[in-house]
Amino acid sequence: MDLARTEVAEAAPRRRGSATRLWLMALPVAFFAVFFAYPVAAIVARGLQADGVWRLGRIGEVLGRSDIRHVLWFTTWQALASTALTLLIALPGAYVFARFDFRGKQVLRAVVTVPFVLPTVVVGTAFLALIGRGGLLDGLWGVRLDTTVWAILLAHVFFNYAVVVRTVGGLWSQLDPRQEEAARVLGASRFAAWRTVTLPALSPAVAAAALMVFLFTFTSFGVVQILGGPTFSTLEVEIYRQTSEIFDLATAAVLTIIQFVAVGAILAVHAGTVRRRETALRLVAPETTARRPRGAGQWALLTGVLASIAVLIVLPLGVLVQRSLDTPGGSGFGYYRALASDDDGIFLVAPIEAIGNSLQYALAATAIAVVIGGLAAAALTGRAGRLVRGLDALLMLPLGVSAVTVGFGFLIALDEPPLDLRSSWILVPLAQALVGVPFVVRTMLPVLRAVDGRLREAASVLGASPWRVWREVDLPMVRRALLIAAGFAFAVSLGEFGATVFIARPDNPTLPVAVARLLGRAGDLNYGQAMALSTILMVVCAVALLLLERMRTDRTGEF
């Protein structure tokens, strides 16, 4: 009898926990239904419906066009090439960060992560300063076509280097090196030991990193829009062109569906690789695997990785700063001072006001992302059933689905009461928060899952409400992770461009929108101001990331 009462008492907190998780899911699901699914569905329906009748034959018509097939081919080809090139260049860096201990390692890890949180428009601007318009490397290739393609590919490596270093290197740093050493003792060569022991253990992380790089490059917008010109378009750029310039919503809707299906497939495969990585390995503390480089070979590898970081990451950022200071009258801050006025009439306000606008929008978006992402992360800490995995996949979709479609969908769908938000300032933070929520969830979820569930159950048995359990048990343990999540959300919100370019009002432009507008105008002054604004945005993102690195408690280096 006592045993039965004990079982009932222990089951009650679990039932309350399940009910609590369902309530926690309610707000995130409602948020994504209203501000993600509804706008995307509205823009697709607007393009594929005529007089209330679905015209699915438009899909075949659009896919039969040679220009659309060229866009699909280039989107896929450049994503595959960018992914392969990123893995080739970044895997040695992942090994160095995982296995070597050297002075300045933490700062260097922050440096290689700066490009990842930079707005894509700034990345495109940095490589435009490096290669285009008389840039440092302009003219090294005899054919302009090759220059453009290489600029796009290298910009994607620059942007995604940290994805490979942190995803693969984070796992590599926790692999027990004694397993590979044991294979060497049994007579295997260094390469054979790595191929048979380490590579199979790393394969889930490599696959996950490759899929994420492919996802980010497949949906590339700002980089290709700035560097590709009228010749090269990804699906995302073409959706923007068809929507804003040609106003062909049918073509834009078909391309959105294609991108949505492709992104869904990529995320499904990525979820499988993550589960394999979480369940198939025996890990050790990362502090026990990193050592000082030994021997000429290891020092040469470290030097080579540092040189590649200097050329691929530091050089473009340095050239961006240099071009912002290169005025017709010599080096100086003339372009920065010019941001205080708008004599050319490009904006309704001075370009410098975009800095304050961006900070205000990003702070509001961060608050929304932390609330929605925090609730979602708390709901996802339970058993990984179908409902939990479905919500997890839903939260990741905004990273890959066309931000252009979301932005234009906001204008189409949110135009009637009670959701007539087209003239409201909150529209921009809502769009930015959609991108920030996945980073909040990915940052907080591992920490929440690491909290001993028995502590929550004990507090519930003692009569604590779910809110008090969260406040007394979870919050003290995840406070630092929550601050880091807020920092990531702030950085990515600050640089959101695809959706914001549609919904930012002319009198309240954000920094990425202001940079894009300046680059779209001829003249050295506009170009110099674009470089100056990009430099300011880069510095803000870099400072935020350095602060995040100092706050981290784990040493794996993962996101």
Side-chain angles (χ1 to χ4, degrees):
M1 197 70 176
D2 292 338
L3 179 60
R5 282 197 294 266
T6 302
E7 291 177 350
V8 171
E10 291 177 349
R14 286 195 291 270
R15 287 195 298 270
R16 287 199 298 269
S18 298
T20 301
R21 283 194 292 272
L22 289 176
W23 280 108
L24 290 173
M25 289 182 188
L27 185 59
V29 169
F31 177 80
F32 275 81
V34 173
F35 298 113
F36 178 69
Y38 177 48
V40 172
I43 195 68
V44 171
R46 180 69 66 93
L48 295 182
Q49 276 188 342
D51 299 325
V53 179
W54 285 93
R55 307 293 186 183
L56 298 181
R58 292 180 177 178
I59 297 177
E61 295 173 4
V62 171
L63 293 179
R65 290 165 45 181
S66 59
D67 60 325
I68 297 301
R69 290 198 301 270
H70 175 73
V71 170
L72 291 172
W73 164 247
F74 178 73
T75 301
T76 306
W77 175 87
Q78 64 82 25
L80 289 171
S82 297
T83 302
L85 190 60
T86 302
L87 289 175
L88 180 66
I89 295 175
L91 281 176
Y95 175 80
V96 165
F97 279 101
R99 294 303 197 204
F100 291 170
D101 185 21
F102 52 91
R103 184 176 300 176
K105 180 178 176 179
Q106 185 177 6
V107 173
L108 191 63
R109 183 183 284 126
V111 169
V112 301
T113 312
V114 166
F116 182 74
V117 299
L118 283 180
T120 55
V121 67
V122 174
V123 176
T125 305
F127 277 82
L128 187 65
L130 185 65
I131 295 177
R133 297 194 187 187
L136 183 64
L137 303 181
D138 190 24
L140 293 183
W141 291 276
V143 183
R144 177 63 185 169
L145 172 66
D146 292 338
T147 303
T148 303
V149 172
W150 274 109
I152 292 173
L153 295 181
L154 291 176
H156 285 157
V157 174
F158 170 89
F159 188 76
N160 293 292
Y161 186 94
V163 175
V164 177
V165 166
R166 287 184 172 265
T167 303
V168 180
L171 178 63
W172 210 335
S173 66
Q174 297 177 83
L175 293 181
D176 192 344
R178 291 174 296 183
Q179 298 177 9
E180 188 173 323
E181 293 171 0
R184 294 289 308 280
V185 170
L186 294 174
S189 64
R190 183 182 298 274
F191 177 75
W194 179 83
R195 180 176 56 83
T196 57
V197 177
T198 304
L199 183 58
L202 284 177
S203 58
V206 174
L211 285 168
M212 291 308 297
V213 173
F214 183 85
L215 174 65
F216 291 137
T217 53
F218 187 83
T219 58
S220 181
F221 177 53
V223 168
V224 178
Q225 186 192 37
I226 291 176
L227 296 176
T231 306
F232 300 100
S233 292
T234 57
L235 275 172
E236 187 83 348
V237 174
E238 190 63 21
I239 291 171
Y240 174 77
R241 193 173 73 88
Q242 296 290 337
T243 302
S244 64
E245 298 177 9
I246 304 176
F247 208 71
D248 184 353
L249 294 186
T251 300
V254 172
L255 296 181
T256 297
I257 293 172
I258 294 172
Q259 184 164 305
F260 186 85
V261 171
V263 167
I266 294 169
L267 290 177
V269 176
H270 178 264
T273 61
V274 170
R275 285 195 295 272
R276 285 177 56 200
R277 183 176 57 170
E278 289 178 346
T279 59
L281 298 173
R282 182 168 66 88
L283 306 178
V284 298
E287 291 86 352
T288 64
T289 65
R291 301 174 180 174
R292 296 281 296 175
R294 293 175 294 182
Q298 292 188 355
W299 280 107
L301 177 60
L302 175 60
T303 302
V305 168
L306 294 178
S308 67
I309 291 173
V311 172
L312 287 172
I313 296 178
V314 178
L315 180 61
L317 297 178
V319 172
L320 179 66
V321 176
Q322 183 270 327
R323 295 300 292 271
S324 73
L325 298 172
D326 188 15
T327 66
S331 296
F333 293 93
Y335 291 138
Y336 291 89
R337 287 191 292 269
L339 295 175
S341 63
D342 187 31
D343 296 334
D344 290 341
I346 300 176
F347 305 97
L348 297 180
V349 296
I352 199 169
E353 293 194 20
I355 300 173
N357 296 335
S358 287
L359 293 175
Q360 293 174 17
Y361 287 143
L363 287 172
T366 300
I368 298 171
V370 167
V371 172
I372 300 298
L375 291 174
L380 292 172
T381 54
R383 295 180 180 179
R386 290 184 178 180
L387 185 62
V388 170
R389 289 197 294 268
L391 178 60
D392 199 6
L394 172 68
L395 298 174
M396 290 290 290
L397 280 177
L399 290 181
V401 173
S402 171
V404 169
T405 300
V406 174
F408 193 61
F410 271 28
L411 299 181
I412 295 295
L414 306 181
D415 62 341
E416 296 179 356
L419 290 174
D420 187 3
L421 302 176
R422 286 187 301 177
S423 59
S424 174
W425 66 272
I426 197 64
L427 207 60
V428 173
L430 287 171
Q432 294 174 341
L434 284 171
V435 183
V437 166
F439 288 91
V440 175
V441 174
R442 295 272 76 82
T443 302
M444 293 188 62
L445 190 56
V447 180
L448 284 171
R449 283 178 172 167
V451 177
D452 192 341
R454 292 172 297 182
L455 296 176
R456 300 188 184 102
E457 293 180 3
S460 297
V461 169
L462 293 174
S465 65
W467 164 246
R468 187 173 181 183
V469 170
W470 161 258
R471 181 166 53 87
E472 300 290 345
V473 177
D474 293 81
L475 184 58
M477 298 185 181
V478 302
R479 185 181 291 112
R480 185 180 291 268
L482 185 63
L483 292 174
I484 294 173
F488 269 116
F490 178 81
V492 299
S493 299
L494 196 66
E496 204 288 320
F497 177 60
T500 308
V501 70
F502 275 100
I503 57 181
R505 292 166 51 181
D507 57 340
N508 286 293
T510 63
L511 274 170
V513 172
V515 170
R517 289 181 185 174
L518 287 167
L519 288 175
R521 305 270 295 195
D524 291 338
L525 177 61
N526 292 324
Y527 182 71
Q529 287 179 302
M531 296 294 164
L533 276 180
S534 296
T535 301
I536 293 172
L537 191 50
M538 176 193 71
V539 170
V540 173
C541 290
V543 170
L545 192 64
L546 287 170
L547 291 176
L548 292 179
E549 282 295 325
R550 293 181 64 87
M551 292 168 56
R552 295 180 71 98
T553 56
D554 65 279
R555 314 306 301 172
T556 64
E558 292 188 85
F559 286 112

